[in-house]
Amino acid sequence: MVDSLYREQILDHYRNPRNKGALDPADYSHEDQNPLCGDEVRIDLRVHDGIVTEVRFDGRGCAISQASASMLTELVEGRPLEEVKAITKDDLLDELGIPVSPARLKCALLGLKCLKAGIYGVKSVHDDEL
Ligand code: FES
């Protein structure tokens, strides 16, 4: 029952993505791919006085990857950058609310990998570092 509510929420984010688009210029921007399927997410951030004032994502891929990127934007907007840096994969998986199989973990974490790589200015972030 609870699972089905979360599934509905994921489908809603997939069908009606929040904060979809681009920021140009952005203070931080990064695009990454799920190497297993080639699906993509890009995340752009604007930061003012240490606070994430605006965030957008864009991409294409499965419902989990796109919904979790959409949920992630809601999680970071308006928060101090230092708090955003501290978001873990468990925080995001909690937000998704359903058990994610190992096979779908890369889908669920694609947006977070992008966010962290952008903030830290690195090419990519390994799942284990999230
Ligand atoms: Fe490609 Fe999920 S199947 S990101």
Side-chain angles (χ1 to χ4, degrees):
M1 186 55 150
V2 174
D3 257 26
S4 73
L5 279 179
Y6 281 114
R7 277 174 214 284
E8 276 303 308
Q9 197 194 354
I10 288 170
L11 277 179
D12 182 51
H13 272 269
Y14 179 58
R15 291 181 184 134
N16 309 294
R18 322 301 198 262
N19 300 307
K20 186 135 191 216
L23 295 173
D24 188 16
D27 294 310
Y28 301 95
S29 180
H30 193 83
E31 190 170 310
D32 209 346
Q33 274 192 349
N34 179 344
L36 301 178
C37 61
D39 290 347
E40 296 169 342
V41 167
R42 193 195 66 250
I43 299 217
D44 299 333
L45 293 183
R46 280 192 189 140
V47 176
H48 187 70
D49 286 343
I51 306 287
V52 176
T53 53
E54 284 178 274
V55 53
R56 296 284 185 280
F57 88 98
D58 205 354
R60 56 175 186 84
C62 66
I64 299 255
S65 69
Q66 303 304 301
S68 79
S70 171
M71 288 178 179
L72 185 63
T73 64
E74 291 195 320
L75 209 57
V76 307
E77 192 163 47
R79 282 178 79 174
L81 190 61
E82 289 307 310
E83 276 183 32
V84 170
K85 285 181 183 171
I87 293 174
T88 66
K89 63 177 159 198
D90 290 333
D91 295 330
L92 185 58
L93 294 175
D94 279 354
E95 204 65 25
L96 280 170
I98 54 163
V100 174
S101 68
R104 306 309 300 274
L105 204 56
K106 280 200 182 301
C107 309
L109 298 179
L110 183 57
L112 186 59
K113 284 179 66 164
C114 230
L115 175 75
K116 296 275 178 114
I119 290 174
Y120 288 109
V122 295
K123 232 174 130 192
S124 75
V125 174
H126 195 267
D127 295 1
D128 295 343
E129 298 168 318
L130 295 171

